[in-house]
Amino acid sequence: VTGTDGAIWWRSMNPSEEWTTEWDRVDDVLSSVGSGVSVTGVLPDHWFVFAAAASGELVYAEYDGGWMHRWENLGGTVVGTPAALLSEEGRVDLYALGTDNRIWQRWMHSGTIWQPPAFLSSSVRSEPAVIGWTFSYVNIFTRSPSNTLQHEMYQTYWTEPMTTAFPMPEGKPSAVSRYPGSADIFVKQPDGIL
């Protein structure tokens, strides 16, 4: 998580499902960030952390039994928290809201270079929530320009955005897939009800 000091803090759960007792501050590796963080793992002790820097650049750090490096700049300027997805073994897909109000994507296979950004066609009003089951089946949920829940899907190509009638006057959605083919979407309403 991002702390009030702008640093990254983390806790872990061991195989017997017990949380560590204290939050650890990631010192001397990750400088202050300007957003929440998104994390995806490629192996049990190997993961990537993504965020927007305080200046808005999209950045990431890699943990492989220990922090590999300080924040690496992926280029571009983003708004809010990016969304990361492990779409197949070793492949990391990253989605973020650009300053042009479009979602853009970058991806890499573990151990290779990041591919150039691919801009999606939609205009949105929130950071994305992303779920997927393979690299060829991805779902993105955002807040549409008309303040309703918007859904885009990738199945070998991106579909046109589908706007639902579900009102979403503020905030961003969260999404989880409990099994292949499922999607549970969470949205906070102005009255605070989820």
Side-chain angles (χ1 to χ4, degrees), residues 110-130:
S110 189
T112 65
I113 62 170
W114 285 94
Q115 299 303 305
F119 295 90
L120 304 183
S121 62
S122 64
S123 176
V124 299
R125 298 188 65 184
S126 75
E127 304 106 289
V130 180

Side-chain angles (χ1 to χ4, degrees), residues 3-191:
T4 56
D5 59 356
I8 304 298
W9 292 78
W10 68 310
R11 288 178 72 181
S12 60
M13 180 185 284
N14 62 32
S16 62
E17 299 184 359
E18 295 174 354
W19 286 97
T20 55
T21 57
E22 301 291 327
W23 284 91
D24 290 321
R25 185 175 195 268
V26 182
D27 288 317
D28 302 324
V29 176
L30 305 179
S31 60
S32 180
V33 297
S35 74
V37 295
S38 183
V39 181
T40 191
V42 292
L43 292 170
D45 209 22
H46 185 188
W47 62 82
F48 294 90
V49 177
F50 301 93
S55 56
E57 291 99 352
L58 182 61
V59 294
Y60 82 99
E62 183 176 359
Y63 182 93
D64 192 359
W67 292 106
M68 304 295 289
H69 51 72
R70 296 183 179 276
W71 287 118
E72 294 281 331
N73 191 333
L74 285 172
T77 304
V78 299
V79 177
T81 303
L85 172 70
L86 182 67
S87 57
E88 67 177 17
E89 186 175 335
R91 178 180 164 133
V92 176
D93 284 271
L94 181 63
Y95 300 87
L97 175 63
T99 55
D100 60 357
N101 293 326
R102 295 191 315 178
I103 301 298
W104 57 281
Q105 173 200 27
R106 295 204 66 180
W107 64 273
M108 68 165 282
H109 280 283
S110 189
T112 65
I113 62 170
W114 285 94
Q115 299 303 305
F119 295 90
L120 304 183
S121 62
S122 64
S123 176
V124 299
R125 298 188 65 184
S126 75
E127 304 106 289
V130 180
I131 57 173
W133 307 289
T134 69
F135 75 95
S136 63
Y137 196 90
V138 176
N139 294 272
I140 298 177
F141 301 92
T142 55
R143 182 163 44 103
S144 76
S146 60
N147 290 327
T148 58
L149 182 65
Q150 182 168 292
H151 175 218
E152 290 181 73
M153 184 170 49
Y154 181 84
Q155 284 184 294
T156 66
Y157 64 91
W158 285 104
T159 63
E160 286 296 315
M162 297 173 277
T163 302
T164 68
F166 187 79
M168 198 177 154
E170 61 186 37
K172 70 177 216 102
S174 291
V176 66
S177 175
R178 293 180 284 160
Y179 50 86
S182 75
D184 291 300
I185 314 303
F186 299 87
V187 174
K188 180 183 168 190
Q189 292 298 299
D191 59 5

